Amino acid sequence: MLSKARSLPCFQLVFDVATFESSIGSVKLDRRFESRNIENELEARKAPLDRGPTDLLLHVGADTWARLSLDPADTRAAAADFGRLSSRPEPAAVLRPGSAADVARLLRSAFDSAPARPAPVSARGHGHSAHGQALAPGGVVVDMAHRSASTAPPGPAFDPGLGGHYVDVWAGELWVDVLNRTLEHGGLAPKSWTDYLYLSVGGTLSNAGISGQAFRHGPQISNVYDLDVVTGKGEIVTCSEKQNAELFHAVLGGLGQFGIITRARIALERAPKRVRWIRVLYSNFTAFTSDQEHLISLHAADASGRFDYVEGFVIVDEGLINNWRSSFFSPRNPVKITSLAGGNGVLYCLEVTKNYDESTAGSVDQEVEALLKQLEFVPGTVFTTDVPYVDFLDRVHKAELKLRAKGLWDVPHPWLNLFVPASRIADFDRGVFRGILGANKTSGPILIYPMNKHKWDERSSAVTPDEDVFYLVAFLRSALPDSGEPTQSLEHLTRQNQQILDFCDESGIGAKQYLPHHKTRAEWARHFGSQWETFLRRKSEFDPKFILGSGQGIFQPVPSTSSSHLFPS
Ligand code: FAD
């Protein structure tokens, strides 16, 4: 049936789902694709498509066409993301690829079709961006998270050449699924994490992927051995530090601009069984950051002489600490800022963990005590809990379920993430935590923790400040329009984010946005700084028609006859 289908003009393709299934095993096609006529479907759309998407869709070929949806429910869903801030046009179609070959056929078709403006194509992981970064307005979104795979994913393996275990994953897989799979096969787990596991591998590798393990292992992009990538020319390329290294480094932290990652080989370690999870409070910012920086300086120490995870957060009101991740602090023992914070009304919470298993359970108490003795937190503010490793890694999902139950998850998220050089973090505290934020209630956590720059590979596309140590400061706030509290409105939070950015600019703080959102070419050029030339060169090499990643707002697809409109105006 397939070969017959291929021989038909593509606008007359009709699929016999039963034959198709039995010919390739367990692949199940959606009912919508049982019988389709491309031209009818294109015509039936209320708004006719531009030439670009039409050309592209007419030429993807039978196999890939079967995995494309023009259903308005699907295109609408692909236009929405976690941020709920973007109102850009929907894509014309959504591709649910079965394999890298589908992605390659789509991109090859986009590359080869030569309309005035080629259709944009963007990968979508789990749509957890804040500003429509995974969008392809008017083009095709490749929905990586919903693959109809025909075979079970492989388990972990050992490579003596790499000196460790690894697992190969489809880039649309969520980290939580990768974790469950690697644990099942021999108790292994990836080394470097994000705080939240319901993110796709491709989505976090396109940014960096950071959490409290980054001081020791580096970000997730420093823990990948090799990748399969489909470039903007529709070529499937395997790349690593040794093979096609330029593409490998370009794609890591590359904001989806150089190719669609379809497979990643992730570094693994033996997973600990349990986690001793500790929070201590500070009223003095200098003591807080000195202790954080001391703890990350122990990155190369023996396991017994360091923590495994170092993060922290700012507490500007009690609601935050006692609500968002409230499972940690005992309800019988609520934290009262006023009694601890002295005059300035701001507290800082250091969060650390120590991993252990049967063989180290006997010494974990002493090791934690010895490390805590080196710190200068407010006496009597040690909050400790002990949980299975998986529960610790999956902690934010618990907060998600609580927020969902209260209808507080699907709300706008004007998140702002900054990397701040360590030398200016005290200025940032004065100007922002104790300045711009003032005594306002915050509707979401404000994370702050340092990282070691030498754990980041400078050849990647990720942008970090030019200092040995820099902090992530993450304002993870939700707008709550119905709260009746003007300081929690989207307008207020958006204005405050801009004030924070302006403060950083005017004070020459040298901060860089993480998960960056910029509006003009000049802002992007400034963001990349000395990496901008490399970024441009890599773009013209791997995606010369600027088809990929237009949702980021860095480049727009260019007419094949023109080389002058390389950027948004
Ligand atoms: P999407 O939003 O779908 O895509 C993000 C970008 O990557 C887009 O430009 C998209 O085109 C591109 N992309 C997606 N898949 C691919 C692919 N296969 N190949 C090439 N490009 C691709 N980040 C951290 O680093 N640490 C955290 O602790 C953390 N916690 C978070 C907690 C929550 C609740 C949320 C909502 C986000 C968090 N993030 C964190 C941010 C998160 O890493 C980014 O938003 C990431 O982009 C989301 O992944 P996603 O799979 O949803 O990607």
Side-chain angles (χ1 to χ4, degrees):
M1 177 63 205
L2 267 180
S3 53
K4 190 170 153 206
R6 274 203 201 95
S7 68
L8 292 168
C10 61
F11 51 84
Q12 289 175 358
L13 288 175
V14 175
F15 278 88
D16 173 336
V17 120
T19 323
F20 186 72
E21 265 183 39
S22 62
S23 68
I24 59 167
S26 62
V27 172
K28 229 181 178 55
L29 290 181
D30 194 302
R31 288 223 139 253
R32 280 167 302 183
F33 299 130
E34 283 181 19
S35 170
R36 303 180 57 177
N37 178 305
I38 298 178
E39 282 198 335
N40 285 354
E41 280 193 47
L42 292 174
E43 271 174 35
R45 290 177 60 93
K46 281 203 183 91
L49 295 181
D50 287 346
R51 207 53 237 152
T54 307
D55 277 12
L56 187 165
L57 296 174
L58 284 172
H59 294 103
V60 290
D63 295 0
T64 303
W65 173 250
R67 298 175 194 282
L68 270 160
S69 171
L70 306 187
D71 187 329
D74 291 336
T75 55
R76 207 175 310 124
D81 67 17
F82 178 78
R84 291 180 175 254
L85 304 170
S86 166
S87 55
R88 275 181 288 171
E90 292 175 14
V94 176
L95 174 70
R96 302 214 168 105
S99 65
D102 282 321
V103 180
R105 279 190 285 266
L106 178 78
L107 281 167
R108 165 59 66 182
S109 173
F111 184 73
D112 285 345
S113 61
R117 218 169 238 286
V121 175
S122 288
R124 176 184 167 97
H126 209 219
H128 276 54
S129 292
H131 294 278
Q133 284 94 333
L135 264 175
V140 181
V141 164
V142 183
D143 183 359
M144 296 294 290
H146 294 99
R147 181 170 71 137
S148 46
S150 56
T151 51
F158 181 78
D159 182 339
L162 297 172
H165 285 90
Y166 68 84
V167 67
D168 279 333
V169 303
W170 171 252
E173 245 187 279
L174 300 184
W175 284 99
V176 67
D177 297 326
V178 176
L179 172 65
N180 289 331
R181 183 147 58 87
T182 54
L183 281 175
E184 261 173 33
H185 291 81
L188 297 163
K191 298 175 178 177
S192 183
W193 290 101
T194 47
D195 291 351
Y196 177 62
L197 306 187
Y198 288 71
L199 305 169
S200 77
V201 170
T204 68
L205 294 184
S206 297
N207 286 290
I210 49 173
S211 184
Q213 303 85 4
F215 79 94
R216 205 156 72 79
H217 292 297
Q220 291 179 322
I221 53 173
S222 297
N223 291 276
V224 182
Y225 293 128
D226 63 57
L227 302 167
D228 286 342
V229 174
V230 184
T231 68
K233 296 187 253 185
E235 297 159 344
I236 304 177
V237 181
T238 298
C239 56
S240 66
E241 274 203 22
K242 296 200 175 118
Q243 188 187 0
N244 300 307
E246 189 69 13
L247 180 62
F248 182 70
H249 296 305
V251 158
L252 294 172
L255 307 176
Q257 298 303 306
F258 308 105
I260 295 186
I261 306 166
T262 53
R263 180 195 58 88
R265 180 162 291 187
I266 309 287
L268 302 177
E269 64 180 3
R270 194 136 314 275
K273 290 278 186 316
R274 294 192 69 85
V275 165
R276 186 66 50 85
W277 182 6
I278 302 134
R279 288 177 177 171
V280 295
L281 300 179
Y282 294 76
S283 53
N284 181 315
F285 187 72
T286 309
F288 169 68
T289 50
S290 300
D291 282 356
Q292 281 193 318
E293 289 180 35
H294 167 63
L295 292 176
I296 72 160
S297 74
L298 305 175
H299 61 89
D302 270 4
S304 60
R306 57 160 168 76
F307 284 115
D308 293 290
Y309 159 103
V310 177
E311 282 203 11
F313 51 97
V314 182
I315 306 163
V316 292
D317 73 88
E318 281 155 23
L320 173 67
I321 200 163
N322 294 315
N323 284 330
W324 169 272
R325 304 187 185 179
S326 59
S327 53
F328 194 95
F329 292 100
S330 156
R332 280 172 292 137
N333 190 15
V335 175
K336 286 272 167 224
I337 292 190
T338 39
S339 63
L340 294 171
N344 68 30
V346 180
L347 277 181
Y348 310 96
C349 179
L350 169 69
E351 181 175 70
V352 289
T353 69
K354 194 146 220 351
N355 300 337
Y356 69 98
D357 52 28
E358 295 84 354
S359 65
T360 47
S363 56
V364 68
D365 287 335
Q366 295 93 303
E367 288 169 15
V368 166
E369 209 181 305
L371 283 162
L372 290 182
K373 268 199 185 127
Q374 301 168 27
L375 309 179
E376 292 188 26
F377 50 86
V378 178
T381 63
V382 182
F383 300 83
T384 304
T385 190
D386 199 286
V387 292
Y389 185 55
V390 176
D391 290 10
F392 171 71
L393 291 180
D394 204 21
R395 62 202 177 280
V396 175
H397 185 52
K398 294 203 177 71
E400 172 186 355
L401 296 178
K402 282 186 196 163
L403 291 173
R404 277 191 188 282
K406 293 182 195 163
L408 296 176
W409 185 258
D410 293 325
V411 297
H413 294 102
W415 285 13
L416 176 66
N417 288 270
L418 297 172
F419 287 144
V420 179
S423 67
R424 303 302 305 274
I425 196 71
D427 297 325
F428 191 91
D429 171 55
R430 265 190 301 278
V432 179
F433 303 143
R434 289 186 286 138
I436 294 169
L437 295 191
N440 284 339
K441 290 224 167 294
T442 54
S443 48
I446 303 172
L447 308 186
I448 170 168
Y449 57 91
M451 278 165 275
N452 294 308
K453 173 125 174 156
H454 75 274
K455 299 281 180 184
W456 292 63
D457 191 326
E458 297 209 331
R459 295 166 296 179
S460 82
S461 295
V463 173
T464 58
D466 202 10
E467 263 185 38
D468 293 347
V469 172
F470 60 87
Y471 281 77
L472 170 75
V473 183
F475 300 87
L476 307 181
R477 302 185 294 176
S478 308
L480 305 175
D482 300 329
S483 70
E485 173 63 64
T487 58
Q488 309 213 346
S489 68
L490 181 58
E491 294 69 29
H492 177 82
L493 294 172
T494 308
R495 211 176 315 118
Q496 211 169 55
N497 284 347
Q498 192 54 52
Q499 281 178 298
I500 294 168
L501 291 169
D502 292 346
F503 166 78
C504 288
D505 274 354
E506 286 154 17
S507 315
I509 297 272
K512 295 287 181 187
Q513 283 191 41
Y514 176 55
L515 313 169
H517 173 56
H518 297 289
K519 296 199 185 83
T520 65
R521 175 186 173 182
E523 284 175 4
W524 280 111
R526 220 174 125 221
H527 170 77
F528 284 101
S530 58
Q531 289 164 256
W532 182 233
E533 286 306 316
T534 306
F535 200 79
L536 293 180
R537 181 175 45 72
R538 287 171 167 175
K539 184 73 176 174
S540 51
E541 182 174 352
F542 301 118
D543 181 27
K545 290 195 182 173
F546 295 37
I547 289 163
L548 287 164
S550 59
Q552 293 278 0
I554 312 173
F555 309 105
Q556 297 300 329
V558 284
S560 53
T561 49
S562 158
S563 59
S564 57
H565 303 103
L566 297 185
F567 310 100
S569 48

